Amino acid sequence: MSFAAFLALIAAFLTAAATIFVRQGLRTSDPYTGVWISMIVGVVGLWICVLVTGGVGEVSPRSLALFAAAGLIGTLGGRLTRFLAIEKVGAAVSAAVGSLTPLIASLLAILLLGERVTLPILAGTVVIAIGTVLLSTSGRRLGFRPWQIVLPLTSATCFGVVAVIRKVGLSDMGPVLGTTINLTAALIAFSALMLASGHRGIYACRGRPLVHFIFAGLTENTGVLLTIVALTSGAVSVVTPLTATTPIFVLMLSHFFLRGVEVLTTRVVAGTVLIVLGVYVITALAGW
């Protein structure tokens, strides 16, 4: 397994951990507060990383614009709809439907970047998507409304688009600075939106919800950074499907930390097995 693939899988685990933290925080708080705290934690941590690793240095206007756009589309749009999805449809279903991201990213990579997607990569991605469908249909037992599945689908679309944008932006900018600009742009836009709407939940968030959202921010943003680092040496059509193994880790962690909140069904197990199979097809048969 390549280093890029390893980083992608670690990013998937961290995203799963963030999902669990978010689910716990949302039991007594709201998704808007969670997103806000998550972004603040990420921006502070990443700017510290930038300063420690030598400062900003030269900034390419093109990459600056690309990573800022990625922040608005992915970190703001994608993360907000993901938090809303976790609240409405649950952690497991949200993570599962989010696995459609590689299909979107791979298609865009083929069309816009000219990447060559081999048959094993395509087959593995399709198997992952089938597993996702099984997982999502198990959400009926959680009692969410059918239209609410649009939330994780929107999140998956946003993250699929930004995977390609970030890949292009990395040609002129390092992953740490790129991730920092990505998240900073999102925080500025989201803060302006929340302040204009009069939302003050961030000032009242205390105790366990605050702790959960802080840890969600640490794990989520570290996962984003590792994903971008993986993209520096790995193809979008390979890295993105591997980061989509998040549902496997979500189910594992849910068993220990979300008992009584998340329901495990036969379809959940079947969907997870298919996702694992998809990962095997991508990694073992793609010549790695």
Side-chain angles (χ1 to χ4, degrees):
M1 180 179 291
S2 69
F3 184 61
F6 174 73
L7 290 180
L9 288 174
I10 295 298
F13 175 80
L14 290 174
T15 302
T19 301
I20 300 300
F21 285 126
V22 169
R23 189 71 173 92
Q24 293 284 21
L26 290 176
R27 298 175 73 173
T28 53
S29 187
D30 66 276
Y32 301 100
T33 299
V35 171
W36 209 348
I37 293 173
S38 172
M39 287 184 182
I40 292 172
V41 170
V43 167
V44 172
L46 284 169
W47 276 112
I48 291 175
C49 289
V50 169
L51 295 176
V52 170
T53 55
V56 176
E58 293 187 12
V59 177
S60 163
R62 175 172 172 269
S63 289
L64 177 63
L66 287 171
F67 275 108
L72 297 178
I73 297 171
T75 307
L76 179 53
R79 189 175 301 190
L80 178 57
T81 49
R82 192 170 82 84
F83 273 56
L84 290 169
I86 293 171
E87 180 188 45
K88 300 298 183 182
V89 306
V93 175
S94 177
V97 178
S99 293
L100 291 174
T101 294
L103 287 177
I104 299 167
S106 295
L107 178 61
L108 290 173
I110 296 171
L111 295 175
L112 302 178
L113 302 183
E115 288 192 1
R116 177 178 176 272
V117 180
T118 64
L119 181 60
I121 292 175
L122 182 60
T125 300
V126 171
V127 171
I128 288 174
I130 294 173
T132 294
V133 172
L134 286 176
L135 285 170
S136 63
T137 55
S138 70
R140 294 173 182 171
R141 292 186 58 184
L142 297 178
F144 62 83
R145 297 176 182 178
W147 69 267
Q148 291 174 332
I149 205 70
V150 171
L151 292 171
L153 283 173
T154 301
S155 179
T157 301
C158 290
F159 288 129
V161 171
V162 299
V164 177
I165 295 176
R166 288 166 176 166
K167 179 68 174 179
V168 176
L170 286 169
S171 61
D172 298 316
M173 185 176 293
V176 176
L177 180 59
T179 307
T180 304
I181 292 172
N182 179 116
L183 196 57
T184 301
L187 176 60
I188 293 172
F190 189 71
S191 296
L193 180 63
M194 289 297 97
L195 292 173
S197 66
H199 190 279
R200 296 291 185 270
I202 190 172
Y203 303 113
C205 190
R206 300 287 187 277
R208 288 187 178 182
L210 178 60
V211 173
H212 286 141
F213 287 145
I214 288 175
F215 276 100
L218 290 172
T219 50
E220 175 105 45
N221 294 301
T222 302
V224 171
L225 176 60
L226 292 182
T227 299
I228 294 178
V229 172
L231 286 171
T232 61
S233 59
V236 171
S237 53
V238 174
V239 171
T240 309
L242 292 178
T243 58
T245 58
T246 293
I248 300 173
F249 300 114
V250 169
L251 292 176
M252 293 170 54
L253 295 173
S254 295
H255 177 71
F256 296 102
F257 300 106
L258 294 180
R259 289 187 178 182
V261 179
E262 298 290 331
V263 180
L264 295 180
T265 66
T266 302
R267 288 182 179 182
V268 170
V269 175
T272 302
V273 170
L274 284 174
I275 290 176
V276 173
L277 178 61
V279 174
Y280 173 79
V281 170
I282 292 172
T283 56
L285 302 183
W288 291 11

